[in-house]
Amino acid sequence: LQTRMQSLQPDPKAQYRTVYEALKKIVLTEGFWRPLRGINVTMLGAGPAHAMYFACYEKMKKSLSDTIQHGGNSHLANGIAGSVATLLHDAVMNPAEVVKQRMQMFNSPYKSVLACIRTVQKTEGFGAFYRSYTTQLTMNVPFQAIHFITYEFMQEQINPCREYNPRSHIVSGAIAGAVAAAATTPLDVCKTLLNTQENVALSSVNISGHLSGMVNAFKTVYQLGGISGYFRGVQARVIYQMPSTAISWSVYEFFKYFLTKHKLEKRT
């Protein structure tokens, strides 16, 4: 839904005013499973990407917090650790995101994930999978910095003892995701344009070939939609991120608690 709603010059059959209208129209005209197209490639990359992401975050957070605040909880350390962890995460997830978004566009010519990978590789080269990587980082570094700082801040407010508390992890994760998603929507719109390379949109502003780079994407989005163009799909983005970050944090905190408890029991 987010990819479709961020389309800057969509096909007349793929114009949506609200998230509900978009979901209803896609299901009725393109089938029940259409909104989930491309999810398999995302799931494939998510496992290793998140493993590196949280491992890097925990290690850096502890090291930097000890240096900056001598064992205390430093928001600066949380932000830096989250930003560095993003570099590893996005190196895995960026190609998956390119494939997923191309398969989700209206009238997508790709029949399967493999067909999409082969066609993009053949027609645009390997670089196409990383064309939006710098933009992705430019978006995700502030996103993750805001995300981690907000999550740790919320934990300080509703779970000051930092015990395993599923409700607090879900609430903190959801709020952190919503705040970070809303703040970085303009960058996400630019990323979607770089990933999908909408031919109709680009040709309407006399751009031939492939659009590349954050600065060019920002200019093109403004030319096509003005200031409001930067906030296309903000509702869908926040709605998507809230459960996503809530689930991610609650699962992570559970396994962190479970493994730590198991390790302590083994020692005693």
Side-chain angles (χ1 to χ4, degrees), residues 140-157:
N140 278 355
V141 166
F143 176 91
Q144 297 301 354
I146 295 166
H147 172 209
F148 281 108
I149 289 169
T150 306
Y151 178 81
E152 298 288 357
F153 173 77
M154 288 302 301
Q155 282 291 284
E156 282 182 350
Q157 305 307 308

Side-chain angles (χ1 to χ4, degrees), residues 29-75:
T29 59
E30 300 174 55
F32 182 77
W33 298 108
R34 191 64 177 84
L36 296 176
R37 197 157 188 248
I39 197 170
N40 50 345
V41 71
T42 306
M43 289 170 69
L44 193 66
H50 277 78
M52 292 189 292
Y53 173 68
F54 280 114
C56 178
Y57 173 69
E58 280 295 334
K59 183 68 178 172
M60 284 206 69
K61 181 179 79 167
K62 285 175 184 173
S63 301
L64 289 171
S65 287
D66 286 339
T67 306
I68 297 168
Q69 212 163 305
H70 303 292
N73 180 36
S74 166
H75 291 305

